[in-house]
Amino acid sequence: MATPSDAPALDLASYELTLRRAAAGRVAEASDPELAQVLERIRARRAGRSGSPVPQPAAAALGLERAPAPDAMTGGPPGQVLAIEQVGPAVRIFRLGRPTGLQFKAGQYLRAGVAGRKAKKFSLASAPHEPIVELCVELIPGGEVTPLLFAVRVGAQLELSDTAKGAFLLDEQASRHFFVATVTGIAPLRSMLRDALHRGVGQEFVILHGASNAEDLPYRAELEALAVADPRVRYVPTISQPQAAANQGWSGRTGRVDPLAVEVAASIPTAGTHVYACGNPGMVANVVRDLGAAGFDVSSEEFS
Ligand SMILES: Cc1cc2nc3c(=O)[nH]c(=O)nc-3n(C[C@H](O)[C@H](O)[C@H](O)COP(=O)(O)OP(=O)(O)OC[C@H]3O[C@@H](n4cnc5c(N)ncnc54)[C@H](O)[C@@H]3O)c2cc1C
């Protein structure tokens, strides 16, 4: 049986060609071996079996629609894909027409899927006051739902529940909020942040955001810009594989978010601070345990 290390080297040009075809809705035209290779490289990297990272596609070269800033979007038909932003090889942001009548609180999730197929929970990354809804999705190779979402293109129709659920919400009593997230775990926290800034609540936001590679940190540019512009916001991105080729030139923090959360928390008063951990279940469990033991109020949501 073929193993990832048996797979022939995949060059950047063929990888980009596959993604361009997918972006143009012509996935069926991409040969199976091509797609299989891309997915196998992603799967191998996730399993830590491959020393060579999946090449970072140049966003502009992919042909994927680049979304305007959410604030500039005025809406669209419910569930319609209005824009897709490629973040890293396995992370995309979907900007969607808002389901009719959808009311939600920042931090909640809805169910999303390709029409007629299974739907799963995805956190709303946009804020309740915004005219569109935004989901940030990580591709799970072989998964039931995310490969189908990654095959859609702008104009496609997704099925979204018209009610949102979840109790992972901003603590309105706290004056300081410490967000700890891995990869797409930033989604509900971004919603809370945008909502809080919109409503003028919360005095301080510290955001610790981790991924294996810098390219897998959705909303990094937005959060970095916000941290520069707004003294209430501090953004600390970190990568756990600084030696990987994809991370050459990285000058930020390195290491996993859970131990770093303990370090950052040591500089934050426990009184008045609420901690929120979201994303990888192992990270969430460690943050709940360690920062809970340090005396913080901690809320959590696992993406599993
Ligand atoms: C409240 C809530 C909110 C969520 N919000 C988001 C969100 O905003 N964005 C998002 O991308 N996902 C989110 N998820 C996860 C999402 O609901 C799916 O479970 C996930 O996307 C996997 O879907 P799938 O059907 O493609 O894979 P599955 O068919 O469920 O998984 C295939 C295999 O991969 C494993 N697997 C599943 N997820 C992961 C993972 N993250 N990493 C590694 N292995 C995995 C499974 O154990 C299984 O063996 C959320 C989950 C919950 C409970």
Side-chain angles (χ1 to χ4, degrees):
M1 202 172 101
T3 66
S5 54
D6 296 326
L10 177 68
D11 63 40
L12 183 60
S14 67
Y15 176 75
E16 288 192 343
L17 179 63
T18 299
L19 290 179
R20 272 199 211 101
R21 285 171 172 165
R26 291 184 284 117
V27 178
E29 288 180 32
S31 68
D32 284 345
E34 254 181 278
L35 282 171
Q37 237 186 72
V38 170
L39 290 174
E40 189 52 57
R41 292 284 292 268
I42 292 171
R43 189 181 294 119
R45 196 188 70 178
R46 293 176 66 90
R49 297 195 304 266
S50 169
S52 55
V54 174
Q56 164 67 43
L62 290 175
L64 288 171
E65 282 74 359
R66 298 287 297 170
D71 289 343
M73 297 185 75
T74 53
Q80 191 174 92
V81 180
L82 306 174
I84 300 171
E85 182 179 336
Q86 179 84 35
V87 179
V91 180
R92 286 185 186 172
I93 294 168
F94 295 86
R95 298 193 167 98
L96 307 163
R98 187 171 174 140
T100 308
L102 175 71
Q103 299 295 327
F104 67 97
K105 293 179 180 162
Q108 290 190 309
Y109 62 85
L110 47 61
R111 286 185 174 271
V114 169
R117 306 293 292 269
K118 186 164 185 163
K120 286 202 177 170
K121 297 171 184 173
F122 292 95
S123 299
L124 288 148
S126 47
H129 66 276
E130 293 173 326
I132 60 154
V133 292
E134 197 158 323
L135 306 180
C136 179
V137 179
E138 181 172 8
L139 173 66
I140 306 297
E144 284 180 294
V145 170
T146 56
L148 296 174
L149 291 176
F150 270 59
V152 304
R153 61 182 173 126
V154 169
Q157 195 65 33
L158 296 187
E159 270 181 16
L160 305 179
S161 59
D162 54 12
T163 54
K165 293 184 179 169
F168 189 57
L169 307 172
L170 197 81
D171 176 358
E172 301 280 343
Q173 307 307 315
S175 55
R176 191 178 303 99
H177 307 278
F178 180 21
F179 295 162
V180 186
T182 49
V183 193
T184 53
I186 197 70
L189 302 172
R190 175 189 185 255
S191 178
M192 290 185 210
L193 176 67
R194 290 174 76 86
D195 179 52
L197 295 178
H198 176 71
R199 293 187 294 120
V201 300
Q203 292 163 8
E204 194 181 335
F205 299 86
V206 181
I207 305 157
L208 178 59
H209 189 194
S212 300
N213 299 305
E215 64 193 7
D216 297 326
L217 289 166
Y219 301 111
R220 176 159 72 99
E222 174 185 305
L223 294 169
E224 281 175 342
L226 196 55
V228 169
D230 191 325
R232 290 171 296 178
V233 180
R234 182 176 158 210
Y235 179 60
V236 184
T238 180
I239 55 165
S240 61
Q241 294 185 353
Q243 73 288 354
N247 294 322
Q248 281 188 0
W250 175 259
S251 57
R253 297 297 303 252
T254 58
R256 302 177 71 90
V257 285
D258 22 356
L260 259 182
V262 175
E263 182 191 320
V264 172
S267 65
I268 302 175
T270 40
T273 301
H274 197 110
V275 177
Y276 310 74
C278 189
N280 176 278
M283 178 283 287
V284 169
N286 290 342
V287 170
V288 168
R289 181 194 63 209
D290 295 342
L291 298 199
F296 289 94
D297 288 332
V298 187
S299 298
S300 62
E301 187 152 86
E302 297 180 1
F303 284 3
S304 54

